[in-house]
């Protein structure tokens, strides 16, 4: 639709509302406001392309933004419902007047009964190249009024993560559409995982949007999503909905996810338990514990030849006290050059050592990529006593066959 037609038919512009659901109560906790226009035939068209179009003058966008927001807030104030209202703003357009007109408009509605703590500014800042410090300043100023800040369309590259934490956002909105067609996209999933860690560290909540299939919802649940949004739940509509509309459905879904995840976790623990018993039996049969460590590893390697491809032992500080025993083309080979290396710098290493020492039990790691082969593997570690720890890297082939040990 021609931008001029939109401006000259501004009475046809209406707000649509897409509900956002909470993971903890399975209720609608708010709505994102989206711009729509009613065409002559009576059909409703999205104003998305208008707002993202590069050739559309800023004044037009600002004007239409204000019309959509005002009409949405009129409805929101009248509805007397609970929850939040998410208002989209492009960082560059917001900063044209240093964020003043936005705040003025919101304050106008405060006089009509809007609580500012229910307003979420949903900021798209991906393409913002203005004064970053000024933008941060404006957001912090808004926050003194109780307005919440969500960052739209977070993608998770490192430069962006650094910038994101400076906004001290209340909410990070993450688009899950990539997972729809490519559920096996491991890199994307790893990025989202680090994003969930960052959100936790900076005290922001994750909102996963564009959830269109069950798998995306399950992924959102598993990766710390506090809020969900998407067509799989509800499409945008012209009206507000009863907040408990999907409570039963979401509760049921959540229970499915829990059941599945518990099965996966239990399989890991069971497998660790079996390894523990077997290794325990082998060790206690040895006449004296001071047997040559490489020989002991070799015995273990032969026993667990179907499960693992690499074994070594470390002391409590992470210094390797044996060679690496590595399976190459089906044969076990000894690599002495690893003796004396230190592994204490690896993530979770010392924490796991302490856990093993205190619990006197072995541990199965999460799934991670082997630094040499790049294949997903898991490591089983086991406290041998006398301050020594065994590490067994389980092969991808084995994990793949076991299925429940691998996603
Ligand atoms: Ca948005």
């Amino acid at each position: 639709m021609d931008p001029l037609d939109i401006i000259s038919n501004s009475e046809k512009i209406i707000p649509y509302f897409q509900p956002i659901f909470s993971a903890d109560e399975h209720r609608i906790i708010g709505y994102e406001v989206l711009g729509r226009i009613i065409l002559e035939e009576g059909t409703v068209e999205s104003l998305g392309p208008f707002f993202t179009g590069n050739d559309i003058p800023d004044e037009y966008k600002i004007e239409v933004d204000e019309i959509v927001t005002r009409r949405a807030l009129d409805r929101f104030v009248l509805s007397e419902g609970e929850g939040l209202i998410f208002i989209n703003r492009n960082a560059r357009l917001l900063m044209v007047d240093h964020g003043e007109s936005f705040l003025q408009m919101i304050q106008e509605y405060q006089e009509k009964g809007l609580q500012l703590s229910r307003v979420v500014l949903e900021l798209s800042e991906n393409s913002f190249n203005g004064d970053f410090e000024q933008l941060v300043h404006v957001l912090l100023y808004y926050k003194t009024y109780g307005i919440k800040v969500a960052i739209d369309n977070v993608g998770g590259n490192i430069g962006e993560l650094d910038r994101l934490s400076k906004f001290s956002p209340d909410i990070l909105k993450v688009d899950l559409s990539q997972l729809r067609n490519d559920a096996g996209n491991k890199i994307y999933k790893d990025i989202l995982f680090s994003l969930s860690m960052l959100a936790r560290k900076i005290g922001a909540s994750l909102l996963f949007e564009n959830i269109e299939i069950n798998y995306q919802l399950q992924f959102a649940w598993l990766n710390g999503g506090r809020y969900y949004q998407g067509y799989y739940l509800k499409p945008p509509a012209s009206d507000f909905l009863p907040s408990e509309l999907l409570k039963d459905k979401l509760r049921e879904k959540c229970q499915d996810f829990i059941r599945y995840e518990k099965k996966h976790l239990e399989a890991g623990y069971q497998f660790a338990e079996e390894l523990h018993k077997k290794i325990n039996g082998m060790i206690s049969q040895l006449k004296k514990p001071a047997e040559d460590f490489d020989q002991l590893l070799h015995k273990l390697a032969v026993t667990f030849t179907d499960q693992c491809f690499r074994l070594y032992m470390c002391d409590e500080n992470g210094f390797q006290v044996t060679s690496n025993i590595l399976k190459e083309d089906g044969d076990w080979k000894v690599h002495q050059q690893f003796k004396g290396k230190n592994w204490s710098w690896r993530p979770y290493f010392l924490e796991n050592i302490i856990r093993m020492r205190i619990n006197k039990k072995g541990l199965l790691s999460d799934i991670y990529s082997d630094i040499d082969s790049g294949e997903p593997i898991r490591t089983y570690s086991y406290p041998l006593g006398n301050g020594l720890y065994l590490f067994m890297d389980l092969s991808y082939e084995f994990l793949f066959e076991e299925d429940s040990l691998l996603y």
Side-chain angles (χ1 to χ4, degrees):
M1 196 172 176
D2 189 79
L4 259 181
D5 286 345
I6 292 175
I7 295 290
S8 55
N9 286 291
S10 65
E11 73 286 352
K12 298 276 176 60
I13 294 173
I14 54 163
Y16 257 36
F17 303 94
Q18 188 168 32
I20 294 162
F21 294 84
S22 68
D24 55 0
E25 289 188 294
H26 303 140
R27 290 156 54 95
I28 295 175
I29 56 92
Y31 295 86
E32 177 179 355
V33 175
L34 298 159
R36 295 286 191 270
I37 190 157
I38 303 172
L39 303 180
E40 268 172 42
E41 321 86 80
T43 52
V44 175
E45 193 174 277
S46 169
L47 288 174
F50 171 84
F51 284 118
T52 51
N54 286 327
D55 48 348
I56 292 162
D58 283 353
E59 312 87 80
Y60 286 16
K61 288 184 183 174
I62 292 171
E63 189 182 331
V64 173
D65 240 349
E66 176 153 347
I67 293 171
V68 173
T69 309
R70 283 183 178 275
R71 288 180 187 161
L73 288 175
D74 286 339
R75 298 275 311 279
F76 192 65
V77 168
L78 275 180
S79 79
E80 292 176 347
E82 346 161 339
L84 307 169
I85 185 144
F86 289 65
I87 301 171
N88 282 292
R89 277 297 178 276
N90 171 292
R92 190 174 57 80
L93 298 183
L94 182 78
M95 290 302 286
V96 163
D97 63 355
H98 303 287
E100 263 175 41
S101 56
F102 180 79
L103 186 61
Q104 267 172 21
M105 175 172 49
I106 298 295
Q107 282 177 323
E108 215 180 282
Y109 278 90
Q110 186 179 25
E111 282 160 24
K112 296 180 187 170
L114 176 69
Q115 291 164 275
L116 299 198
S117 60
R118 291 173 61 192
V119 173
V120 183
L121 167 66
E122 190 172 322
L123 192 77
S124 24
E125 49 75 58
N126 285 341
S127 56
F128 181 69
N129 47 21
D131 188 328
F132 178 74
E133 297 301 326
Q134 269 185 19
L135 176 59
V136 170
H137 183 80
V138 165
L139 297 184
L140 292 181
Y141 186 62
Y142 286 175
K143 290 181 88 161
T144 63
Y145 286 91
I147 296 171
K148 295 182 174 60
V149 172
I151 305 296
D152 207 357
N153 218 340
V154 171
N157 68 61
I158 293 295
E160 186 185 33
L161 297 185
D162 172 53
R163 198 173 66 233
L164 282 182
S165 43
K166 293 203 178 100
F167 288 129
S168 354
D170 300 281
I171 295 167
L172 299 180
K173 285 194 85 165
V174 183
D175 179 356
L176 282 189
S177 49
Q178 278 200 50
L179 280 188
R180 193 195 155 114
N181 299 319
D182 189 7
N185 189 335
K186 193 171 167 305
I187 294 169
Y188 184 63
K189 285 198 247 181
D190 290 343
I191 289 172
L192 291 184
F193 178 75
S194 44
L195 206 55
S196 73
M197 294 291 112
L198 176 86
R200 187 166 170 264
K201 292 281 182 197
I202 67 175
S205 300
L206 279 183
L207 189 164
F208 287 108
E209 64 176 334
N210 293 323
I211 294 176
E212 292 178 358
I213 53 174
N214 188 58
Y215 173 73
Q216 292 165 316
L217 183 62
Q218 183 176 21
F219 184 90
W221 171 81
L222 191 61
N223 286 274
R226 185 175 182 193
Y227 305 119
Y228 313 134
Q229 181 184 348
Y231 276 66
Y232 185 62
L233 306 163
K234 283 287 161 200
S238 58
D239 279 309
F240 301 111
L241 298 166
S243 64
E244 310 234 315
L245 185 69
L246 292 188
K247 200 175 169 77
D248 291 342
K249 176 182 165 180
L250 282 173
R251 197 186 160 85
E252 214 172 285
K253 289 275 162 211
C254 176
Q255 267 161 349
D256 284 349
F257 302 155
I258 293 169
R259 207 175 304 125
Y260 184 81
E261 183 62 13
K262 273 164 85 179
K263 241 173 85 183
H264 170 73
L265 290 171
E266 278 160 10
Y269 275 96
Q270 243 166 44
F271 177 68
E273 190 69 34
E274 284 164 29
L275 285 180
H276 183 90
K277 278 188 193 145
K278 267 193 180 170
I279 297 174
N280 227 3
M282 278 180 70
I283 303 283
S284 57
Q285 275 174 15
L286 296 174
K287 302 230 165 50
K288 43 184 188 352
E291 186 185 10
D292 177 70
F293 294 145
D294 278 9
Q295 268 180 27
L296 170 61
L297 279 188
H298 201 262
K299 270 188 197 166
L300 288 162
V302 172
T303 308
F304 297 103
T305 196
D306 293 333
Q307 284 109 334
C308 65
F309 69 99
R310 183 167 52 211
L311 300 97
Y312 55 96
M313 280 161 64
C314 288
D315 69 14
E316 195 170 294
N317 294 335
F319 285 100
Q320 190 164 335
V321 298
T322 63
S323 307
N324 267 7
I325 312 284
L326 181 72
K327 198 193 244 179
E328 288 170 304
D329 303 325
D331 287 325
W332 289 102
K333 301 271 167 59
V334 177
H335 292 269
Q336 285 176 347
Q337 73 272 27
F338 288 91
K339 217 172 195 168
K341 290 199 184 204
N342 186 268
W343 304 112
S344 62
W345 50 272
R346 296 180 61 169
Y348 309 117
F349 187 94
L350 288 178
E351 193 188 320
N352 285 341
I353 292 277
I354 304 293
R355 267 173 74 191
M356 285 192 281
R357 192 180 72 195
I358 289 174
N359 297 336
K360 298 182 174 59
K361 277 238 148 164
L363 289 175
L364 187 61
S365 78
D366 61 349
I367 300 159
Y368 66 100
S369 296
D370 180 47
I371 214 156
D372 294 323
S373 68
E375 284 183 334
I377 62 165
R378 300 180 80 169
T379 299
Y380 177 72
S381 44
Y382 174 91
L384 288 159
N386 296 325
L388 295 176
Y389 296 84
L390 164 72
F391 294 86
M392 264 172 56
D393 291 337
L394 306 171
S395 70
Y396 176 69
E397 292 75 27
F398 167 69
L399 294 170
F400 184 78
E401 259 169 46
E402 285 296 307
D403 189 40
S404 57
L405 295 177
L406 195 73
Y407 269 4

